[in-house]
């Protein structure tokens, strides 16, 4: 399975795609991703069996597009999101945000 960038339509193997995730926002339950090909920034929610793309809106994350990824699983941790697909797994850490 190849996962596309919604901006440039480059396609990535799951390992390359999830290694490009930069941050997990536990409060909004969203993952930040930067496309290795075009540099586009996307916010997405990892759901069982799919990725949900959208944007933060009024204190929550609004999913507008969904991409099926059969077998995709997630487990929320204290300061991380663990993603697994088949025999592979990825850990997306929460970036510590300092008060302004």
């Amino acid at each position: 399975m190849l996962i596309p960038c919604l901006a440039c339509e480059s396609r990535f193997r799951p390992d390359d795609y999830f290694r490009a995730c930069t941050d997990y926002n536990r409060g909004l339950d969203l993952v930040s991703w930067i496309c290795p090909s075009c540099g586009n920034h996307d916010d997405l929610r990892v759901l069982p069996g799919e990725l949900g793309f959208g944007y933060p809106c009024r204190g929550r994350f609004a999913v507008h597009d969904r991409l099926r990824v059969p077998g995709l699983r997630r487990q929320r941790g204290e300061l991380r999101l663990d993603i697994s697909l088949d025999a592979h797994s990825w850990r997306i850490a929460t970036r510590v945000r300092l008060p302004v």
Side-chain angles (χ1 to χ4, degrees):
M1 152 148 244
L2 296 176
I3 304 171
C5 169
L6 299 181
C8 71
E9 299 184 14
S10 294
R11 302 175 81 70
F12 302 94
R13 293 175 309 181
D15 190 50
D16 296 325
Y17 191 89
F18 292 118
R19 282 190 297 133
C21 293
T22 60
D23 181 37
Y24 174 59
N25 182 324
R26 193 174 196 287
L28 293 175
D29 192 25
L30 67 84
V31 172
S32 296
W33 180 78
I34 300 174
C35 177
S37 291
C38 71
N40 178 60
H41 292 241
D42 265 330
D43 290 326
L44 59 110
R45 179 169 287 155
V46 178
L47 301 163
E50 65 184 13
L51 297 175
F53 296 90
Y55 57 90
C57 179
R58 298 184 183 153
R60 64 181 206 90
F61 186 72
V63 173
H64 290 279
D65 295 307
R66 295 175 184 267
L67 174 68
R68 290 193 30 80
V69 182
L72 186 67
R73 295 180 311 278
R74 57 173 273 146
Q75 177 68 43
R76 286 176 65 171
E78 181 77 19
L79 293 173
R80 70 178 190 272
L81 179 68
D82 295 323
I83 303 168
S84 58
L85 179 63
D86 301 325
H88 298 90
S89 63
W90 302 271
R91 178 169 285 174
I92 314 302
T94 298
R95 183 171 27 113
V96 176
R97 291 165 178 85
L98 299 174
V100 181

